[in-house]
Amino acid sequence: MVVGAIGLTGGIGSGKSTVARLLVGLGAHLVDTDAIARRLTARGGAAMPALAAAFGAEAVASDGALDRELMRRLVFADAGAKTRLEAVLHPLIGAEARREAALAAGAAVVYDVPLLTESSHWRTRVQRVLVVDCDEATQVARVVQRPGWNEAAARAVIAQQAPRRQRRAIADAVIHNDGLTLAALADEVGALWSLWQALG
Ligand code: ADP
């Protein structure tokens, strides 16, 4: 475990990225595991040779990056494919996260991990878990604002993610990001940050 490390998680549209940015503003050193996964699977990314070997050349899109749409369909239809994908990606994400965390220079490390609830590995790695939570209707309302999204797509992602109750059950603190202005959210994040910094 990294002493002082915070694991940050939340469902799509919960406001997790917003909270991550607020924590960075307070001095946290952010390790964004989604961004790491995207880099690893971009053209020339470190995971691409192993993914091409595991799933064949068709897993690589014409731009040289992982064909995310194809992988999403594959993983949805075949649990074995999900296991193989994770067997390639997870160790690489873990290693890169460790490398980035080592650059913290004394700042508290915040690991932004969308799948933290599902991962015993991540939970043992952090001292505290912060969950950003809100009603499903709020999640959907936020996600449909994003270009290319609609309600069905938002609900499909929510259905694949850990249920809210399960996510809250692993939390040391929950931020209920419903009916909060951004300023009120910032106040809550600031108060929690101060408390956790004081507790050490
Ligand atoms: P996530 O990372 O959990 O998917 P984001 O942090 O990107 O979610 O938030 C989704 C959208 O909702 C963003 O446009 C963000 O600005 C907005 N948002 C989040 N929390 C609030 C809030 N308390 N008040 C107003 N807008 C919010």
Side-chain angles (χ1 to χ4, degrees), residues 11-18 21 142 146 177 180-182 185:
I12 186 169
S14 62
K16 176 176 62 65
S17 310
T18 306
R21 278 193 295 277
R142 288 181 183 146
R146 293 179 183 162
N177 187 22
L180 282 184
T181 62
L182 285 173
L185 176 63

Side-chain angles (χ1 to χ4, degrees), residues 60-164:
V60 185
S62 54
D63 65 358
L66 182 67
D67 187 332
R68 284 165 195 284
E69 194 41 50
L70 180 124
M71 291 310 295
R72 241 194 302 276
R73 273 185 274 123
L74 204 62
V75 160
F76 195 71
D78 173 3
K82 183 165 185 256
T83 307
R84 281 186 288 139
L85 178 65
E86 290 177 352
V88 173
L89 282 183
H90 285 184
L92 292 171
I93 293 171
E96 179 59 15
R98 256 192 302 279
R99 193 190 67 76
E100 290 188 12
L103 305 173
V109 178
V110 173
Y111 295 97
D112 181 335
V113 187
L115 298 181
L116 192 135
T117 310
E118 293 85 343
S119 164
S120 53
H121 163 80
W122 279 106
R123 268 147 60 198
T124 57
R125 199 141 152 191
V126 298
Q127 186 175 356
R128 298 186 173 101
V129 173
L130 171 56
V131 167
V132 186
D133 185 48
C134 69
D135 283 346
E136 187 171 321
T138 308
Q139 287 181 276
V140 172
R142 288 181 183 146
V143 173
V144 297
Q145 299 297 319
R146 293 179 183 162
W149 284 82
N150 59 34
E151 179 174 345
R155 290 205 189 273
V157 170
I158 291 168
Q160 278 169 35
Q161 295 184 332
R164 288 174 61 202

